Amino acid sequence: MVESEPKKEEPITRVLAEMPGYYFQFSSLELNQHLKDLDLRVFKHYGEFYTDDFSIYKLHRLDYLVESYFIEDINLYFIDSLLVKIQVYLREDKTQEFLNRYGMAKIYITDYHNKKLLESERILSYQKGKYRINENLDHYILRWKADSMDIEYRVNKKPDSIKIQAASNTTLLDDNRKRYKLTFQTADYDHQMAWIKWESYKESRGLVAEPAEEQ
């Protein structure tokens, strides 16, 4: 009788992956939260700009973000240590979801192609209790005002939109190469930024007022 050789056991593949023991939820962020009250361990301090009062934090650990399946990046803007602006870059278009969540929006069309399209087509339609935006539009801005907060959603589906160079940006960390950008900011954000820039300008020109001397 011929003895058969014992079967060799196939090696079992071992997957060694470091699973994060901490998760951060984007939904936990709220405007006007104080810096010291926020857990920013998944963010990196990008720096202060204009003055020490204006600070930016950028998402650093995407793998710790619960909503990473649809969020690509987050920037947080602080003035006087209060969160005044949240900028979110999305992986997919959320136009329909936002229209139904926030209601009617002001729609801004700025390029020739889309303006020409609207000469013969409607921007919105109302179907089965929901607003629907014209799917042929590929570059537009939606804006809402909610209590003391402004919301803006920018969509740029143009084929050449990803070719825009970051060097052309005029706003800090405002990456125009991304297709879907959602922004929440306090209603007075623009006013506060204008004041920050004015203070920075005065300081750079040596225009800081000195206290008057007693006569």
Side-chain angles (χ1 to χ4, degrees), residues 153-187:
Y153 181 51
R154 290 177 177 259
V155 173
N156 188 359
K157 301 178 184 177
K158 289 181 174 295
D160 60 347
S161 63
I162 59 175
K163 298 180 181 179
I164 300 175
Q165 297 298 315
S168 66
N169 293 342
T170 56
T171 306
L172 297 169
L173 299 181
D174 192 358
D175 194 342
N176 291 322
R177 295 171 299 178
K178 304 295 178 66
R179 290 174 179 263
Y180 311 112
K181 182 176 64 176
L182 177 65
T183 302
F184 302 91
Q185 66 183 39
T186 57

mmCIF file of all heavy atoms in Angstrom, residues 153-187:
data_model
loop_
_atom_site.group_PDB
_atom_site.id
_atom_site.type_symbol
_atom_site.label_atom_id
_atom_site.label_comp_id
_atom_site.label_asym_id
_atom_site.label_seq_id
_atom_site.Cartn_x
_atom_site.Cartn_y
_atom_site.Cartn_z
ATOM 1 N N TYR A 153 -23.606 76.289 -0.956
ATOM 2 C CA TYR A 153 -23.184 75.034 -1.577
ATOM 3 C C TYR A 153 -22.789 75.318 -3.018
ATOM 4 O O TYR A 153 -23.599 75.787 -3.813
ATOM 5 C CB TYR A 153 -24.323 74.021 -1.526
ATOM 6 C CG TYR A 153 -23.972 72.673 -2.113
ATOM 7 C CD1 TYR A 153 -22.821 71.986 -1.724
ATOM 8 C CD2 TYR A 153 -24.796 72.072 -3.064
ATOM 9 C CE1 TYR A 153 -22.503 70.747 -2.257
ATOM 10 C CE2 TYR A 153 -24.497 70.826 -3.595
ATOM 11 C CZ TYR A 153 -23.341 70.177 -3.192
ATOM 12 O OH TYR A 153 -23.030 68.952 -3.728
ATOM 13 N N ARG A 154 -21.536 75.051 -3.345
ATOM 14 C CA ARG A 154 -21.006 75.284 -4.687
ATOM 15 C C ARG A 154 -20.830 73.966 -5.416
ATOM 16 O O ARG A 154 -20.229 73.035 -4.888
ATOM 17 C CB ARG A 154 -19.660 76.015 -4.633
ATOM 18 C CG ARG A 154 -19.760 77.460 -4.175
ATOM 19 C CD ARG A 154 -18.395 78.110 -4.061
ATOM 20 N NE ARG A 154 -18.513 79.511 -3.701
ATOM 21 C CZ ARG A 154 -18.412 80.525 -4.549
ATOM 22 N NH1 ARG A 154 -18.172 80.271 -5.836
ATOM 23 N NH2 ARG A 154 -18.539 81.771 -4.150
ATOM 24 N N VAL A 155 -21.322 73.924 -6.651
ATOM 25 C CA VAL A 155 -21.198 72.734 -7.489
ATOM 26 C C VAL A 155 -20.492 73.112 -8.782
ATOM 27 O O VAL A 155 -20.867 74.091 -9.431
ATOM 28 C CB VAL A 155 -22.591 72.135 -7.813
ATOM 29 C CG1 VAL A 155 -22.471 71.001 -8.825
ATOM 30 C CG2 VAL A 155 -23.261 71.640 -6.540
ATOM 31 N N ASN A 156 -19.471 72.346 -9.135
ATOM 32 C CA ASN A 156 -18.759 72.570 -10.386
ATOM 33 C C ASN A 156 -18.456 71.218 -11.022
ATOM 34 O O ASN A 156 -17.480 70.565 -10.681
ATOM 35 C CB ASN A 156 -17.470 73.355 -10.149
ATOM 36 C CG ASN A 156 -16.803 73.762 -11.460
ATOM 37 O OD1 ASN A 156 -17.296 73.440 -12.545
ATOM 38 N ND2 ASN A 156 -15.684 74.456 -11.370
ATOM 39 N N LYS A 157 -19.336 70.788 -11.921
ATOM 40 C CA LYS A 157 -19.183 69.495 -12.584
ATOM 41 C C LYS A 157 -18.501 69.609 -13.943
ATOM 42 O O LYS A 157 -18.441 68.635 -14.696
ATOM 43 C CB LYS A 157 -20.552 68.843 -12.776
ATOM 44 C CG LYS A 157 -21.323 68.595 -11.496
ATOM 45 C CD LYS A 157 -22.674 67.983 -11.816
ATOM 46 C CE LYS A 157 -23.524 67.811 -10.581
ATOM 47 N NZ LYS A 157 -24.871 67.274 -10.901
ATOM 48 N N LYS A 158 -18.002 70.788 -14.254
ATOM 49 C CA LYS A 158 -17.371 70.979 -15.562
ATOM 50 C C LYS A 158 -16.148 70.081 -15.693
ATOM 51 O O LYS A 158 -15.383 69.918 -14.745
ATOM 52 C CB LYS A 158 -16.969 72.440 -15.746
ATOM 53 C CG LYS A 158 -18.151 73.370 -15.944
ATOM 54 C CD LYS A 158 -17.683 74.794 -16.154
ATOM 55 C CE LYS A 158 -18.860 75.688 -16.499
ATOM 56 N NZ LYS A 158 -19.468 75.321 -17.802
ATOM 57 N N PRO A 159 -15.932 69.503 -16.874
ATOM 58 C CA PRO A 159 -14.789 68.597 -17.067
ATOM 59 C C PRO A 159 -13.437 69.216 -16.754
ATOM 60 O O PRO A 159 -12.525 68.543 -16.320
ATOM 61 C CB PRO A 159 -14.888 68.240 -18.558
ATOM 62 C CG PRO A 159 -16.322 68.455 -18.899
ATOM 63 C CD PRO A 159 -16.762 69.613 -18.067
ATOM 64 N N ASP A 160 -13.304 70.536 -16.965
ATOM 65 C CA ASP A 160 -12.015 71.186 -16.736
ATOM 66 C C ASP A 160 -11.876 71.750 -15.337
ATOM 67 O O ASP A 160 -10.868 72.371 -15.004
ATOM 68 C CB ASP A 160 -11.787 72.314 -17.750
ATOM 69 C CG ASP A 160 -12.863 73.392 -17.649
ATOM 70 O OD1 ASP A 160 -13.883 73.147 -16.983
ATOM 71 O OD2 ASP A 160 -12.677 74.458 -18.267
ATOM 72 N N SER A 161 -12.861 71.521 -14.458
ATOM 73 C CA SER A 161 -12.834 72.133 -13.127
ATOM 74 C C SER A 161 -11.680 71.605 -12.283
ATOM 75 O O SER A 161 -11.142 72.303 -11.432
ATOM 76 C CB SER A 161 -14.151 71.904 -12.396
ATOM 77 O OG SER A 161 -14.363 70.526 -12.167
ATOM 78 N N ILE A 162 -11.269 70.348 -12.499
ATOM 79 C CA ILE A 162 -10.197 69.777 -11.689
ATOM 80 C C ILE A 162 -8.824 70.284 -12.132
ATOM 81 O O ILE A 162 -7.820 70.015 -11.474
ATOM 82 C CB ILE A 162 -10.220 68.238 -11.730
ATOM 83 C CG1 ILE A 162 -10.070 67.733 -13.162
ATOM 84 C CG2 ILE A 162 -11.495 67.701 -11.122
ATOM 85 C CD1 ILE A 162 -9.955 66.227 -13.264
ATOM 86 N N LYS A 163 -8.765 71.008 -13.228
ATOM 87 C CA LYS A 163 -7.490 71.498 -13.738
ATOM 88 C C LYS A 163 -7.133 72.876 -13.196
ATOM 89 O O LYS A 163 -6.056 73.390 -13.442
ATOM 90 C CB LYS A 163 -7.519 71.550 -15.271
ATOM 91 C CG LYS A 163 -7.719 70.187 -15.927
ATOM 92 C CD LYS A 163 -7.747 70.314 -17.430
ATOM 93 C CE LYS A 163 -7.984 68.959 -18.094
ATOM 94 N NZ LYS A 163 -8.036 69.085 -19.569
ATOM 95 N N ILE A 164 -8.075 73.489 -12.473
ATOM 96 C CA ILE A 164 -7.817 74.820 -11.920
ATOM 97 C C ILE A 164 -6.696 74.743 -10.906
ATOM 98 O O ILE A 164 -6.695 73.889 -10.032
ATOM 99 C CB ILE A 164 -9.087 75.390 -11.257
ATOM 100 C CG1 ILE A 164 -10.197 75.492 -12.297
ATOM 101 C CG2 ILE A 164 -8.817 76.760 -10.636
ATOM 102 C CD1 ILE A 164 -11.532 75.920 -11.705
ATOM 103 N N GLN A 165 -5.717 75.584 -11.023
ATOM 104 C CA GLN A 165 -4.563 75.554 -10.134
ATOM 105 C C GLN A 165 -4.863 76.210 -8.801
ATOM 106 O O GLN A 165 -5.554 77.229 -8.726
ATOM 107 C CB GLN A 165 -3.370 76.268 -10.789
ATOM 108 C CG GLN A 165 -2.899 75.600 -12.066
ATOM 109 C CD GLN A 165 -2.417 74.188 -11.812
ATOM 110 O OE1 GLN A 165 -1.691 73.927 -10.863
ATOM 111 N NE2 GLN A 165 -2.837 73.264 -12.661
ATOM 112 N N ALA A 166 -4.325 75.628 -7.737
ATOM 113 C CA ALA A 166 -4.552 76.168 -6.401
ATOM 114 C C ALA A 166 -3.981 77.576 -6.276
ATOM 115 O O ALA A 166 -4.426 78.372 -5.469
ATOM 116 C CB ALA A 166 -3.934 75.248 -5.356
ATOM 117 N N ALA A 167 -2.980 77.888 -7.099
ATOM 118 C CA ALA A 167 -2.342 79.205 -7.022
ATOM 119 C C ALA A 167 -3.306 80.319 -7.384
ATOM 120 O O ALA A 167 -3.081 81.475 -7.049
ATOM 121 C CB ALA A 167 -1.125 79.255 -7.944
ATOM 122 N N SER A 168 -4.403 79.987 -8.070
ATOM 123 C CA SER A 168 -5.355 81.011 -8.470
ATOM 124 C C SER A 168 -6.325 81.349 -7.348
ATOM 125 O O SER A 168 -7.127 82.258 -7.472
ATOM 126 C CB SER A 168 -6.146 80.537 -9.691
ATOM 127 O OG SER A 168 -6.957 79.426 -9.345
ATOM 128 N N ASN A 169 -6.261 80.628 -6.250
ATOM 129 C CA ASN A 169 -7.179 80.880 -5.142
ATOM 130 C C ASN A 169 -6.885 82.220 -4.494
ATOM 131 O O ASN A 169 -5.748 82.617 -4.334
ATOM 132 C CB ASN A 169 -7.053 79.786 -4.076
ATOM 133 C CG ASN A 169 -7.533 78.444 -4.594
ATOM 134 O OD1 ASN A 169 -8.244 78.386 -5.578
ATOM 135 N ND2 ASN A 169 -7.134 77.385 -3.936
ATOM 136 N N THR A 170 -7.933 82.905 -4.109
ATOM 137 C CA THR A 170 -7.756 84.173 -3.407
ATOM 138 C C THR A 170 -8.180 84.056 -1.956
ATOM 139 O O THR A 170 -8.019 84.994 -1.194
ATOM 140 C CB THR A 170 -8.595 85.269 -4.086
ATOM 141 O OG1 THR A 170 -9.962 84.852 -4.130
ATOM 142 C CG2 THR A 170 -8.112 85.507 -5.514
ATOM 143 N N THR A 171 -8.731 82.915 -1.568
ATOM 144 C CA THR A 171 -9.155 82.695 -0.189
ATOM 145 C C THR A 171 -8.322 81.583 0.411
ATOM 146 O O THR A 171 -8.045 80.593 -0.234
ATOM 147 C CB THR A 171 -10.645 82.311 -0.133
ATOM 148 O OG1 THR A 171 -11.405 83.311 -0.817
ATOM 149 C CG2 THR A 171 -11.122 82.217 1.299
ATOM 150 N N LEU A 172 -7.926 81.733 1.668
ATOM 151 C CA LEU A 172 -7.078 80.753 2.318
ATOM 152 C C LEU A 172 -7.714 79.379 2.321
ATOM 153 O O LEU A 172 -8.850 79.206 2.746
ATOM 154 C CB LEU A 172 -6.798 81.199 3.760
ATOM 155 C CG LEU A 172 -6.030 82.508 3.900
ATOM 156 C CD1 LEU A 172 -6.047 82.971 5.341
ATOM 157 C CD2 LEU A 172 -4.610 82.348 3.405
ATOM 158 N N LEU A 173 -6.990 78.395 1.813
ATOM 159 C CA LEU A 173 -7.414 76.990 1.799
ATOM 160 C C LEU A 173 -8.680 76.746 0.990
ATOM 161 O O LEU A 173 -9.248 75.664 1.062
ATOM 162 C CB LEU A 173 -7.628 76.474 3.229
ATOM 163 C CG LEU A 173 -6.410 76.501 4.152
ATOM 164 C CD1 LEU A 173 -6.795 75.948 5.511
ATOM 165 C CD2 LEU A 173 -5.258 75.718 3.574
ATOM 166 N N ASP A 174 -9.121 77.707 0.225
ATOM 167 C CA ASP A 174 -10.354 77.559 -0.543
ATOM 168 C C ASP A 174 -10.005 76.921 -1.887
ATOM 169 O O ASP A 174 -9.678 77.605 -2.844
ATOM 170 C CB ASP A 174 -10.994 78.933 -0.742
ATOM 171 C CG ASP A 174 -12.403 78.826 -1.267
ATOM 172 O OD1 ASP A 174 -12.858 77.703 -1.506
ATOM 173 O OD2 ASP A 174 -13.037 79.871 -1.446
ATOM 174 N N ASP A 175 -10.073 75.587 -1.942
ATOM 175 C CA ASP A 175 -9.582 74.837 -3.092
ATOM 176 C C ASP A 175 -10.655 74.748 -4.176
ATOM 177 O O ASP A 175 -11.611 73.988 -4.068
ATOM 178 C CB ASP A 175 -9.162 73.429 -2.643
ATOM 179 C CG ASP A 175 -8.349 72.718 -3.701
ATOM 180 O OD1 ASP A 175 -8.394 73.154 -4.869
ATOM 181 O OD2 ASP A 175 -7.672 71.736 -3.367
ATOM 182 N N ASN A 176 -10.470 75.498 -5.248
ATOM 183 C CA ASN A 176 -11.441 75.514 -6.330
ATOM 184 C C ASN A 176 -11.368 74.281 -7.217
ATOM 185 O O ASN A 176 -12.163 74.137 -8.145
ATOM 186 C CB ASN A 176 -11.246 76.764 -7.190
ATOM 187 C CG ASN A 176 -11.640 78.015 -6.455
ATOM 188 O OD1 ASN A 176 -12.608 78.023 -5.712
ATOM 189 N ND2 ASN A 176 -10.884 79.087 -6.635
ATOM 190 N N ARG A 177 -10.409 73.416 -6.955
ATOM 191 C CA ARG A 177 -10.330 72.186 -7.743
ATOM 192 C C ARG A 177 -11.362 71.159 -7.300
ATOM 193 O O ARG A 177 -11.657 70.213 -8.022
ATOM 194 C CB ARG A 177 -8.922 71.577 -7.625
ATOM 195 C CG ARG A 177 -7.835 72.447 -8.235
ATOM 196 C CD ARG A 177 -6.470 71.906 -7.892
ATOM 197 N NE ARG A 177 -6.248 71.898 -6.447
ATOM 198 C CZ ARG A 177 -5.126 71.435 -5.892
ATOM 199 N NH1 ARG A 177 -4.171 70.942 -6.641
ATOM 200 N NH2 ARG A 177 -4.980 71.472 -4.580
ATOM 201 N N LYS A 178 -11.909 71.331 -6.106
ATOM 202 C CA LYS A 178 -12.897 70.392 -5.605
ATOM 203 C C LYS A 178 -14.269 70.706 -6.217
ATOM 204 O O LYS A 178 -14.637 71.864 -6.381
ATOM 205 C CB LYS A 178 -12.971 70.468 -4.075
ATOM 206 C CG LYS A 178 -11.625 70.221 -3.374
ATOM 207 C CD LYS A 178 -11.133 68.796 -3.598
ATOM 208 C CE LYS A 178 -9.788 68.557 -2.946
ATOM 209 N NZ LYS A 178 -9.842 68.616 -1.487
ATOM 210 N N ARG A 179 -15.041 69.672 -6.497
ATOM 211 C CA ARG A 179 -16.295 69.853 -7.218
ATOM 212 C C ARG A 179 -17.466 70.239 -6.331
ATOM 213 O O ARG A 179 -18.377 70.919 -6.773
ATOM 214 C CB ARG A 179 -16.627 68.564 -7.978
ATOM 215 C CG ARG A 179 -15.679 68.306 -9.147
ATOM 216 C CD ARG A 179 -15.952 66.963 -9.788
ATOM 217 N NE ARG A 179 -15.060 66.729 -10.907
ATOM 218 C CZ ARG A 179 -15.384 66.949 -12.172
ATOM 219 N NH1 ARG A 179 -16.575 67.403 -12.466
ATOM 220 N NH2 ARG A 179 -14.523 66.713 -13.141
ATOM 221 N N TYR A 180 -17.483 69.761 -5.095
ATOM 222 C CA TYR A 180 -18.641 69.986 -4.225
ATOM 223 C C TYR A 180 -18.180 70.582 -2.896
ATOM 224 O O TYR A 180 -17.499 69.914 -2.124
ATOM 225 C CB TYR A 180 -19.385 68.674 -3.969
ATOM 226 C CG TYR A 180 -19.676 67.896 -5.234
ATOM 227 C CD1 TYR A 180 -19.044 66.683 -5.480
ATOM 228 C CD2 TYR A 180 -20.566 68.389 -6.191
ATOM 229 C CE1 TYR A 180 -19.296 65.966 -6.638
ATOM 230 C CE2 TYR A 180 -20.820 67.685 -7.359
ATOM 231 C CZ TYR A 180 -20.188 66.477 -7.577
ATOM 232 O OH TYR A 180 -20.431 65.776 -8.731
ATOM 233 N N LYS A 181 -18.533 71.827 -2.649
ATOM 234 C CA LYS A 181 -18.071 72.519 -1.448
ATOM 235 C C LYS A 181 -19.256 73.088 -0.679
ATOM 236 O O LYS A 181 -20.050 73.864 -1.208
ATOM 237 C CB LYS A 181 -17.095 73.640 -1.816
ATOM 238 C CG LYS A 181 -16.539 74.370 -0.596
ATOM 239 C CD LYS A 181 -15.513 75.407 -1.001
ATOM 240 C CE LYS A 181 -16.117 76.490 -1.845
ATOM 241 N NZ LYS A 181 -15.147 77.561 -2.166
ATOM 242 N N LEU A 182 -19.365 72.707 0.575
ATOM 243 C CA LEU A 182 -20.430 73.171 1.459
ATOM 244 C C LEU A 182 -19.824 74.051 2.543
ATOM 245 O O LEU A 182 -18.842 73.671 3.174
ATOM 246 C CB LEU A 182 -21.146 71.967 2.086
ATOM 247 C CG LEU A 182 -22.253 72.260 3.088
ATOM 248 C CD1 LEU A 182 -23.426 72.971 2.422
ATOM 249 C CD2 LEU A 182 -22.710 70.960 3.755
ATOM 250 N N THR A 183 -20.418 75.222 2.763
ATOM 251 C CA THR A 183 -19.892 76.164 3.744
ATOM 252 C C THR A 183 -20.993 76.629 4.692
ATOM 253 O O THR A 183 -22.070 77.034 4.247
ATOM 254 C CB THR A 183 -19.277 77.402 3.057
ATOM 255 O OG1 THR A 183 -18.247 76.993 2.160
ATOM 256 C CG2 THR A 183 -18.692 78.358 4.086
ATOM 257 N N PHE A 184 -20.700 76.551 5.989
ATOM 258 C CA PHE A 184 -21.544 77.137 7.023
ATOM 259 C C PHE A 184 -20.750 78.271 7.654
ATOM 260 O O PHE A 184 -19.579 78.086 8.010
ATOM 261 C CB PHE A 184 -21.896 76.120 8.114
ATOM 262 C CG PHE A 184 -22.594 74.885 7.627
ATOM 263 C CD1 PHE A 184 -21.865 73.774 7.252
ATOM 264 C CD2 PHE A 184 -23.977 74.845 7.554
ATOM 265 C CE1 PHE A 184 -22.507 72.623 6.814
ATOM 266 C CE2 PHE A 184 -24.627 73.705 7.115
ATOM 267 C CZ PHE A 184 -23.881 72.582 6.739
ATOM 268 N N GLN A 185 -21.350 79.425 7.827
ATOM 269 C CA GLN A 185 -20.650 80.515 8.496
ATOM 270 C C GLN A 185 -21.639 81.394 9.246
ATOM 271 O O GLN A 185 -22.827 81.453 8.912
ATOM 272 C CB GLN A 185 -19.835 81.351 7.506
ATOM 273 C CG GLN A 185 -20.652 82.112 6.490
ATOM 274 C CD GLN A 185 -19.770 82.861 5.495
ATOM 275 O OE1 GLN A 185 -18.736 82.366 5.058
ATOM 276 N NE2 GLN A 185 -20.170 84.073 5.154
ATOM 277 N N THR A 186 -21.127 82.063 10.296
ATOM 278 C CA THR A 186 -21.971 82.968 11.061
ATOM 279 C C THR A 186 -22.406 84.133 10.172
ATOM 280 O O THR A 186 -21.701 84.508 9.236
ATOM 281 C CB THR A 186 -21.225 83.504 12.293
ATOM 282 O OG1 THR A 186 -20.007 84.148 11.866
ATOM 283 C CG2 THR A 186 -20.877 82.372 13.250
ATOM 284 N N ALA A 187 -23.561 84.692 10.464
ATOM 285 C CA ALA A 187 -24.116 85.748 9.624
ATOM 286 C C ALA A 187 -23.203 86.965 9.558
ATOM 287 O O ALA A 187 -23.212 87.708 8.575
ATOM 288 C CB ALA A 187 -25.497 86.142 10.130
#
